[in-house]
Amino acid sequence: MDNLFEFMMGIISILGAIVTYFIIPYIKESISSEKLEQYQEWAALAVKTAEMLWSETGHGADKKAYAADFLSRLFNAKKEVLTKEQINILIESAVQELQH
């Protein structure tokens, strides 16, 4: 009976190690990719809105500033979630996607 208990405890500790090493990082990665998709959708919306506000050419800086400010207020209101560089990358990606 003692041997069975020790065997079961060994199996449980091995399963715990597997969960910690493989499953938890997988869950964190999937959550991060879901957040990235959400950030991309909001960036696309901000770029489209800026395009509608300034329909004439020559206002690229205004459009980018509007989109960057919108995303910063949306995601960084309580704490910094996205850096300025990440916001710029999201905006550039949304602009390229909009042009194609």
Side-chain angles (χ1 to χ4, degrees), residues 12-29:
I12 290 172
S13 65
I14 291 172
L15 289 176
I18 290 172
V19 166
T20 303
Y21 190 74
F22 292 109
I23 296 176
I24 291 176
Y26 174 76
I27 291 171
K28 285 184 179 180
E29 182 180 312

Side-chain angles (χ1 to χ4, degrees), residues 13-62:
S13 65
I14 291 172
L15 289 176
I18 290 172
V19 166
T20 303
Y21 190 74
F22 292 109
I23 296 176
I24 291 176
Y26 174 76
I27 291 171
K28 285 184 179 180
E29 182 180 312
S30 68
I31 290 172
S32 296
S33 66
E34 288 176 9
K35 284 185 179 182
L36 177 61
E37 288 177 20
Q38 181 185 26
Y39 298 153
Q40 289 172 332
E41 289 174 11
W42 280 106
L45 180 64
V47 168
K48 289 176 187 176
T49 303
E51 289 290 330
M52 289 173 48
L53 289 173
W54 290 279
S55 57
E56 59 275 347
T57 60
H59 291 279
D62 294 330

Side-chain angles (χ1 to χ4, degrees), residues 54-99:
W54 290 279
S55 57
E56 59 275 347
T57 60
H59 291 279
D62 294 330
K63 294 175 188 180
K64 186 171 184 176
Y66 172 82
D69 184 54
F70 175 80
L71 292 173
S72 181
R73 283 185 288 126
L74 181 65
F75 293 112
N76 296 337
K78 294 183 181 177
K79 68 175 189 170
E80 185 176 26
V81 176
L82 295 173
T83 64
K84 289 182 181 183
E85 182 178 307
Q86 290 170 326
I87 289 173
N88 286 333
I89 291 170
L90 286 169
I91 291 170
E92 293 298 326
S93 174
V95 168
Q96 288 179 1
E97 190 175 310
L98 185 63
Q99 290 175 348

